[in-house]
Amino acid sequence: MLDREGYRPNVGIILTNQDNKVFWGKRLREQSWQFPQGGIKPGESPETAMYRELLEEVGLLPHHVQILGRTRDWLRYDVPGNWVRREWRGAYRGQKQIWFLLRLTGRESDVHLHATSHPEFDDWRWHEYWAPIDEVIEFKRRVYQGALTELSRFLIGLESFGEYYGRMWDEKKRRQAEQQQ
Protein backbone atom coordinates (compact mmCIF):
# COMPACT_ATOMS: atom_id res chain seq x y z
CA MET A 1 0.00 0.00 0.00
CA LEU A 2 1.59 3.25 -1.17
CA ASP A 3 0.34 6.79 -0.68
CA ARG A 4 -0.05 9.18 -3.63
CA GLU A 5 3.58 10.28 -3.35
CA GLY A 6 4.94 6.72 -3.44
CA TYR A 7 5.64 6.23 0.29
CA ARG A 8 4.72 3.07 2.18
CA PRO A 9 3.18 3.72 5.63
CA ASN A 10 5.38 2.25 8.32
CA VAL A 11 6.10 2.34 12.05
CA GLY A 12 9.47 2.61 13.76
CA ILE A 13 10.14 1.46 17.31
CA ILE A 14 12.70 2.87 19.73
CA LEU A 15 12.68 0.53 22.71
CA THR A 16 14.55 1.79 25.78
CA ASN A 17 15.63 0.24 29.05
CA GLN A 18 15.75 1.93 32.48
CA ASP A 19 19.20 3.41 31.62
CA ASN A 20 17.86 5.10 28.43
CA LYS A 21 19.81 2.66 26.26
CA VAL A 22 18.06 1.61 23.05
CA PHE A 23 17.37 -1.81 21.54
CA TRP A 24 19.63 -2.20 18.52
CA GLY A 25 18.88 -5.22 16.31
CA LYS A 26 21.23 -6.94 13.87
CA ARG A 27 19.49 -7.81 10.61
CA LEU A 28 19.26 -11.53 9.94
CA ARG A 29 22.41 -12.83 8.17
CA GLU A 30 23.70 -9.28 7.58
CA GLN A 31 26.16 -6.98 9.28
CA SER A 32 23.70 -4.08 9.46
CA TRP A 33 21.90 -2.93 12.59
CA GLN A 34 18.66 -0.99 12.96
CA PHE A 35 15.61 -0.29 15.08
CA PRO A 36 12.57 -2.53 14.67
CA GLN A 37 10.21 -1.23 12.00
CA GLY A 38 7.52 -2.49 9.66
CA GLY A 39 4.62 -1.70 7.41
CA ILE A 40 1.15 -0.62 8.45
CA LYS A 41 -1.46 -2.93 6.95
CA PRO A 42 -4.68 -1.51 5.40
CA GLY A 43 -7.15 -0.60 8.15
CA GLU A 44 -4.50 -0.88 10.88
CA SER A 45 -3.73 2.06 13.18
CA PRO A 46 -0.07 3.01 13.73
CA GLU A 47 -0.31 1.82 17.36
CA THR A 48 -1.77 -1.55 16.34
CA ALA A 49 0.95 -1.94 13.70
CA MET A 50 3.60 -1.06 16.30
CA TYR A 51 2.41 -3.79 18.68
CA ARG A 52 2.25 -6.32 15.83
CA GLU A 53 5.78 -5.45 14.67
CA LEU A 54 7.05 -5.50 18.26
CA LEU A 55 5.79 -9.06 18.62
CA GLU A 56 6.99 -10.20 15.18
CA GLU A 57 10.48 -8.71 15.40
CA VAL A 58 11.28 -8.62 19.13
CA GLY A 59 8.81 -11.11 20.64
CA LEU A 60 7.40 -8.61 23.14
CA LEU A 61 3.73 -8.23 24.06
CA PRO A 62 1.95 -5.02 25.11
CA HIS A 63 2.34 -5.83 28.81
CA HIS A 64 6.14 -5.95 28.36
CA VAL A 65 6.36 -2.26 27.37
CA GLN A 66 5.06 1.20 28.17
CA ILE A 67 4.50 3.78 25.42
CA LEU A 68 6.38 6.96 26.37
CA GLY A 69 5.65 8.94 23.21
CA ARG A 70 5.28 9.00 19.45
CA THR A 71 6.21 11.38 16.68
CA ARG A 72 3.59 13.98 15.82
CA ASP A 73 3.90 13.59 12.05
CA TRP A 74 5.23 11.19 9.45
CA LEU A 75 8.99 11.10 8.93
CA ARG A 76 10.00 10.09 5.39
CA TYR A 77 13.03 8.60 3.74
CA ASP A 78 13.68 7.76 0.10
CA VAL A 79 15.09 4.36 -0.74
CA PRO A 80 17.88 4.35 -3.37
CA GLY A 81 16.68 2.96 -6.71
CA ASN A 82 18.98 -0.06 -6.61
CA TRP A 83 17.28 -1.17 -3.34
CA VAL A 84 13.74 -1.04 -4.76
CA ARG A 85 12.10 -4.29 -5.86
CA ARG A 86 11.72 -4.50 -9.63
CA GLU A 87 7.91 -4.68 -9.44
CA TRP A 88 7.75 -1.46 -7.38
CA ARG A 89 10.11 0.65 -9.51
CA GLY A 90 8.53 3.83 -10.78
CA ALA A 91 5.83 3.94 -8.09
CA TYR A 92 7.76 3.37 -4.84
CA ARG A 93 9.87 6.18 -3.34
CA GLY A 94 10.39 5.01 0.22
CA GLN A 95 8.84 4.85 3.66
CA LYS A 96 6.85 7.28 5.74
CA GLN A 97 7.00 6.42 9.42
CA ILE A 98 5.35 7.15 12.73
CA TRP A 99 7.92 6.45 15.46
CA PHE A 100 7.11 5.17 18.94
CA LEU A 101 9.30 5.47 22.03
CA LEU A 102 8.78 2.54 24.40
CA ARG A 103 10.16 1.57 27.78
CA LEU A 104 10.78 -2.11 28.48
CA THR A 105 8.81 -2.90 31.63
CA GLY A 106 9.29 -6.66 31.31
CA ARG A 107 12.57 -8.52 31.57
CA GLU A 108 15.32 -8.75 28.97
CA SER A 109 14.61 -12.50 28.89
CA ASP A 110 11.16 -11.63 27.44
CA VAL A 111 12.89 -10.64 24.17
CA HIS A 112 12.51 -13.47 21.63
CA LEU A 113 13.95 -12.74 18.19
CA HIS A 114 12.47 -15.97 16.81
CA ALA A 115 8.89 -15.39 17.96
CA THR A 116 7.72 -15.93 14.37
CA SER A 117 8.83 -18.18 11.51
CA HIS A 118 10.29 -15.13 9.67
CA PRO A 119 12.66 -13.40 12.11
CA GLU A 120 14.10 -10.00 11.20
CA PHE A 121 17.04 -10.01 13.62
CA ASP A 122 19.56 -12.63 14.69
CA ASP A 123 21.19 -10.60 17.48
CA TRP A 124 20.54 -7.52 19.58
CA ARG A 125 22.14 -5.32 22.21
CA TRP A 126 21.48 -2.23 24.28
CA HIS A 127 23.14 0.80 22.71
CA GLU A 128 23.65 4.42 23.65
CA TYR A 129 20.62 6.51 22.72
CA TRP A 130 22.23 8.73 20.06
CA ALA A 131 24.70 6.20 18.58
CA PRO A 132 22.33 4.74 15.93
CA ILE A 133 22.40 8.02 13.99
CA ASP A 134 25.97 7.33 12.90
CA GLU A 135 25.56 3.58 12.54
CA VAL A 136 22.37 3.17 10.52
CA ILE A 137 22.49 2.94 6.73
CA GLU A 138 22.96 6.38 5.17
CA PHE A 139 19.51 6.84 3.62
CA LYS A 140 17.76 6.34 7.01
CA ARG A 141 20.07 8.67 8.95
CA ARG A 142 17.99 11.86 8.74
CA VAL A 143 14.84 10.03 9.88
CA TYR A 144 16.68 8.39 12.78
CA GLN A 145 18.01 11.76 13.91
CA GLY A 146 14.56 13.32 13.60
CA ALA A 147 12.84 10.55 15.55
CA LEU A 148 15.47 10.37 18.29
CA THR A 149 15.51 14.16 18.66
CA GLU A 150 11.74 14.56 18.79
CA LEU A 151 11.26 11.67 21.23
CA SER A 152 14.21 12.50 23.51
CA ARG A 153 11.98 14.95 25.43
CA PHE A 154 10.18 11.98 27.00
CA LEU A 155 13.33 10.65 28.70
CA ILE A 156 14.54 12.01 32.03
CA GLY A 157 18.28 12.34 32.52
CA LEU A 158 19.23 11.80 28.87
CA GLU A 159 22.25 13.74 27.64
CA SER A 160 21.58 16.00 24.68
CA PHE A 161 22.70 15.20 21.16
CA GLY A 162 25.42 17.86 21.48
CA GLU A 163 26.63 16.52 24.82
CA TYR A 164 26.81 13.00 23.38
CA TYR A 165 28.88 14.11 20.38
CA GLY A 166 31.14 16.21 22.59
CA ARG A 167 31.77 13.18 24.78
CA MET A 168 32.45 10.97 21.73
CA TRP A 169 34.89 13.56 20.36
CA ASP A 170 36.72 13.73 23.70
CA GLU A 171 36.93 9.92 23.88
CA LYS A 172 38.27 9.73 20.33
CA LYS A 173 40.97 12.32 21.09
CA ARG A 174 41.91 10.49 24.32
CA ARG A 175 42.28 7.17 22.44
CA GLN A 176 44.41 8.81 19.77
CA ALA A 177 46.67 10.33 22.42
CA GLU A 178 47.04 6.95 24.14
CA GLN A 179 47.97 5.28 20.83
CA GLN A 180 50.69 7.88 20.21
CA GLN A 181 52.36 7.18 23.55
Side-chain angles (χ1 to χ4, degrees):
M1 179 176 87
L2 300 178
D3 70 9
R4 290 182 195 154
E5 297 172 329
Y7 291 96
R8 180 175 171 242
N10 193 280
V11 291
I13 302 168
I14 302 170
L15 175 66
T16 63
N17 66 12
Q18 296 300 321
D19 298 322
N20 292 334
K21 303 275 183 172
V22 295
F23 175 97
W24 197 225
K26 183 181 158 297
R27 303 252 325 145
L28 189 67
R29 294 185 292 278
E30 294 180 22
Q31 291 305 312
S32 59
W33 294 73
Q34 68 175 51
F35 289 129
Q37 68 175 57
I40 299 173
K41 294 179 179 179
E44 198 173 42
S45 72
E47 185 173 322
T48 301
M50 180 273 296
Y51 280 124
R52 180 181 47 75
E53 290 294 334
L54 186 66
L55 175 61
E56 290 175 3
E57 296 190 7
V58 185
L60 295 175
L61 296 167
H63 69 270
H64 293 128
V65 298
Q66 173 190 7
I67 298 176
L68 301 179
R70 65 167 269 183
T71 55
R72 288 180 212 99
D73 295 314
W74 296 101
L75 301 177
R76 291 171 172 78
Y77 66 83
D78 291 346
V79 174
N82 59 317
W83 287 66
V84 177
R85 293 181 188 163
R86 178 172 281 126
E87 65 269 17
W88 284 16
R89 289 193 182 140
Y92 179 77
R93 286 185 62 184
Q95 309 253 16
K96 66 178 187 179
Q97 299 176 313
I98 295 292
W99 282 84
F100 289 86
L101 178 68
L102 308 178
R103 172 81 72 206
L104 179 66
T105 56
R107 300 178 313 261
E108 287 185 18
S109 60
D110 293 325
V111 172
H112 295 288
L113 300 182
H114 298 281
T116 66
S117 59
H118 295 33
E120 295 277 334
F121 302 120
D122 58 17
D123 197 8
W124 73 277
R125 66 178 184 238
W126 292 116
H127 209 14
E128 292 200 58
Y129 186 84
W130 298 106
I133 294 169
D134 286 333
E135 297 180 17
V136 73
I137 193 162
E138 175 75 30
F139 64 86
K140 293 183 180 181
R141 204 162 280 161
R142 186 179 49 80
V143 165
Y144 270 47
Q145 184 169 357
L148 287 164
T149 299
E150 182 176 345
L151 296 171
S152 68
R153 65 190 168 100
F154 295 105
L155 297 174
I156 297 168
L158 180 69
E159 67 185 337
S160 72
F161 182 65
E163 291 167 335
Y164 168 78
Y165 273 96
R167 183 169 55 82
M168 291 297 103
W169 178 259
D170 291 346
E171 287 179 20
K172 180 180 177 182
K173 291 297 185 187
R174 182 185 48 76
R175 283 193 304 273
Q176 289 173 342
E178 287 173 357
Q179 289 175 351
Q180 292 175 354
Q181 292 177 353

